[in-house]
Amino acid sequence: MKKKETFWSPLDNAAKIFPAIRNKEHTTVMRLSAVLTEPIVISSLLKAIKKAEVRFHYFKVQLRKGFFWYYLEQVDESIRALPDDNVPCKAFDMNKENKLLLRVLVFKNRLTVEFSHILTDGHGLFIFLKSILIYYFKERGLISNNQIDHFLTTDFEKEEIEDSYHRYFKENIPTVTRQTKAFHLPFQLRSKPRFDILFAILPIKEIQQKAQEKDVSITEYLVAVYLLILQDIYFERMGKGISPRNNIARIQVPVNLRKIYPSKTMRNFSLFVMPELDFRLGKYSFEEILKIVYHKMQVETDEKLISKIISRNVGSEKKILLRGIPLWLKSLVLHLKYYSEGANQYSGVVTNLGKVELPPSISNKVDLFAVTPPPPNKKLKLNCGVIGYGNKLVLSFGNISKSKDFEQKFLHFISQQGINVKLKNKI
């Protein structure tokens, strides 16, 4: 492979908010783990990481401050394999010697990659971890060259570092309307460190069968369960004479825009659809919720509606007045806007990275994958990550509250549908 030139890059449109809102708790760091069937051989892993850092050299960057915007600058720093202390999604300390916005963690047979959302989205995180696995098993002599995706053995293309939001931005598109405030879980926060994860492992065939019976996808099925449990908690409060301030439950579901627009970008390129229930209209049956979620997901992933959201997000960035505001003031405005508007508009998050496929020769060398979205903010309190491999679907509930009531209700409902649930505090 050719030697790569040093470069710098402005943040992509989605990444611009993250420097303004991140802190030691709300870290904006996401985590993806692969649990292998055998202990990891460190010498082979180090060689695999070296290959990955050459192929994905654009991830070897640090966050820098300009006068008007943050930007990314490439650094000549190796990606190291660090011991995993099982404290997930920790903030990246820019004052330390390690300036990178990613880390590779190892514990026995578990390989983990953590990325700042400033760098990429779940798709980029997954591609990077998968590449390390492919390179690792190649070093172990378990996978042949013809089984390795051409993408991993060739030089990068410039399109991989483009801001695809700008590429697909359209002028003079009407913007989306502002959402009303959403219902939030009424639980008290835990004492620091707050972030805790509960894993649930489900047989994919069993939940797939239930989803197919309802003519919905697994994502739509899980989002419907999420809304159902929020409804239960809402009306429990009402039954106790406590009237929640907000009456809309709304779930943020990330959508990989690479499935809608042709793009090879490895930067952020996702938006959200947000199925919702209005509790002022009364209680919904699970079948009614499924219908609402299904149609909302179909409508809001239409390219024309997606273009409205891109138009709003990129259009505001292009405004001359905003571009001329100094960074310290931009960061303050973005921070206030996020907590006054963004975090108020949804009740939960369900991030589904889909089902992982690996070359047949190494498919039995990995037991499962688990994805943990960034720690939720103090209003949201809880979120859920989903990923499948083989016959195992792993749900990761990230929680910063004292209560496990939501997870218990969610998984109890799943088990009532005849789906086996296995709980784990650690993967």
Side-chain angles (χ1 to χ4, degrees):
M1 292 186 183
K2 299 174 186 176
K3 187 177 179 181
K4 309 300 185 299
E5 295 179 2
T6 300
F7 73 96
W8 72 273
S9 171
L11 303 189
D12 63 67
N13 179 259
K16 282 182 167 63
I17 186 70
F18 297 121
I21 64 172
R22 65 181 183 148
N23 55 45
K24 286 189 176 181
E25 288 188 83
H26 190 209
T27 64
T28 72
V29 173
M30 48 188 173
R31 177 181 177 98
L32 180 62
S33 298
V35 178
L36 278 56
T37 56
E38 297 174 357
I40 294 169
V41 178
I42 298 299
S43 58
S44 297
L45 177 62
L46 295 178
K47 293 176 183 177
I49 293 172
K50 184 61 67 176
K51 287 183 179 178
E53 75 173 35
V54 171
R55 176 60 185 82
F56 302 98
H57 71 286
Y58 41 78
F59 285 148
K60 289 178 53 178
V61 290
Q62 64 178 328
L63 184 67
R64 299 296 299 268
K65 260 185 196 180
F67 185 76
F68 293 110
W69 292 106
Y70 284 99
Y71 63 95
L72 298 173
E73 184 178 67
Q74 192 168 22
V75 292
D76 186 20
E77 185 165 330
S78 296
I79 301 173
R80 295 175 290 169
L82 304 171
D84 192 349
D85 59 8
N86 217 37
V87 180
C89 305
K90 286 189 295 187
F92 288 98
D93 188 347
M94 299 298 105
N95 296 320
K96 287 192 175 179
E97 184 179 341
N98 182 15
K99 301 180 180 71
L100 299 180
L101 296 167
L102 67 88
R103 58 176 72 100
V104 178
L105 305 169
V106 188
F107 179 73
K108 296 181 178 178
N109 61 328
R110 184 181 69 221
L111 176 62
T112 296
V113 173
E114 292 187 341
F115 266 49
S116 167
H117 227 317
I118 293 169
L119 280 185
T120 188
D121 53 19
H123 172 83
L125 175 69
F126 167 70
I127 294 297
F128 187 77
L129 175 60
K130 183 178 179 179
S131 73
I132 293 178
L133 287 173
I134 297 294
Y135 295 140
Y136 171 79
F137 286 117
K138 177 69 169 63
E139 289 294 330
R140 302 297 299 153
L142 297 173
I143 182 170
S144 58
N145 287 331
N146 61 5
Q147 287 186 305
I148 299 178
D149 194 301
H150 183 68
F151 173 77
L152 299 179
T153 58
T154 54
D155 285 330
F156 92 106
E157 298 178 44
K158 285 191 175 180
E159 193 180 332
E160 292 173 39
I161 58 173
E162 77 168 8
D163 185 343
S164 287
Y165 297 104
H166 281 259
R167 177 180 174 186
Y168 292 105
F169 168 74
K170 296 176 183 177
E171 297 278 3
N172 303 317
I173 296 289
T175 60
V176 292
T177 56
R178 183 175 168 181
Q179 301 273 21
T180 55
K181 291 184 178 181
F183 169 71
H184 290 108
L185 292 170
F187 307 145
Q188 291 184 338
L189 296 175
R190 297 175 67 200
S191 57
K192 297 179 183 180
R194 294 190 174 99
F195 192 48
D196 183 55
I197 306 172
L198 176 67
F199 298 98
I201 303 174
L202 320 177
I204 286 182
K205 290 179 182 177
E206 291 181 8
I207 192 167
Q208 196 169 48
Q209 180 183 346
K210 293 297 175 184
Q212 287 173 349
E213 287 173 5
K214 306 293 185 181
D215 292 320
V216 297
S217 68
I218 289 177
T219 299
E220 291 158 353
Y221 190 89
L222 292 173
V223 170
V225 176
Y226 206 120
L227 284 168
L228 179 70
I229 303 310
L230 288 172
Q231 176 178 259
D232 288 349
I233 293 170
Y234 176 92
F235 282 104
E236 276 181 9
R237 303 282 287 179
M238 293 288 285
K240 294 175 181 177
I242 304 170
S243 297
R245 185 179 301 174
N246 302 311
N247 313 107
I248 307 290
R250 192 178 290 120
I251 304 301
Q252 193 180 74
V253 186
V255 175
N256 181 3
L257 295 183
R258 299 165 187 85
K259 295 181 179 180
I260 299 173
Y261 298 97
S263 172
K264 297 178 182 178
T265 187
M266 289 291 287
R267 302 173 75 184
N268 288 290
F269 195 42
S270 303
L271 287 177
F272 307 98
V273 299
M274 293 202 276
E276 65 178 49
L277 301 180
D278 188 339
F279 297 139
R280 293 170 297 184
L281 304 178
K283 283 190 177 182
Y284 300 78
S285 68
F286 185 55
E287 282 66 30
E288 288 174 320
I289 298 173
L290 281 166
K291 188 184 297 184
I292 290 168
V293 171
Y294 171 79
H295 288 292
K296 189 77 167 178
M297 294 285 286
Q298 300 305 307
V299 169
E300 291 199 355
T301 53
D302 176 76
E303 189 273 333
K304 288 182 174 61
L305 291 183
I306 290 290
S307 69
K308 289 176 69 173
I309 304 174
I310 293 176
S311 176
R312 177 197 62 189
N313 295 351
V314 177
S316 61
E317 177 190 326
K318 286 178 173 285
K319 290 178 181 176
I320 297 294
L321 181 62
L322 179 63
R323 289 167 63 184
I325 296 174
L327 180 61
W328 67 269
L329 185 53
K330 273 197 190 88
S331 296
L332 178 61
V333 170
L334 287 171
H335 180 89
L336 292 174
K337 191 170 183 179
Y338 173 80
Y339 283 101
S340 65
E341 296 180 19
N344 276 327
Q345 293 181 2
Y346 54 97
S347 315
V349 177
V350 176
T351 300
N352 189 352
L353 291 190
K355 189 173 182 182
V356 179
E357 299 292 341
L358 293 176
S361 63
I362 60 169
S363 60
N364 65 341
K365 297 297 180 181
V366 178
D367 182 32
L368 56 81
F369 286 81
V371 59
T372 303
N377 59 63
K378 292 179 182 179
K379 288 185 178 180
L380 195 64
K381 300 183 181 71
L382 187 144
N383 57 26
C384 180
V386 185
I387 192 168
Y389 180 71
N391 191 35
K392 292 179 180 177
L393 188 75
V394 179
L395 311 185
S396 310
F397 294 94
N399 193 336
I400 61 171
S401 80
K402 293 180 179 179
S403 175
K404 295 290 184 185
D405 189 37
F406 181 91
E407 297 94 310
Q408 290 167 358
K409 290 179 185 295
F410 188 106
L411 297 171
H412 178 66
F413 178 85
I414 291 286
S415 63
Q416 279 187 321
Q417 308 313 301
I419 301 168
N420 288 294
V421 177
K422 183 178 180 181
L423 298 182
K424 283 193 171 188
N425 290 319
K426 294 180 182 179
I427 287 291

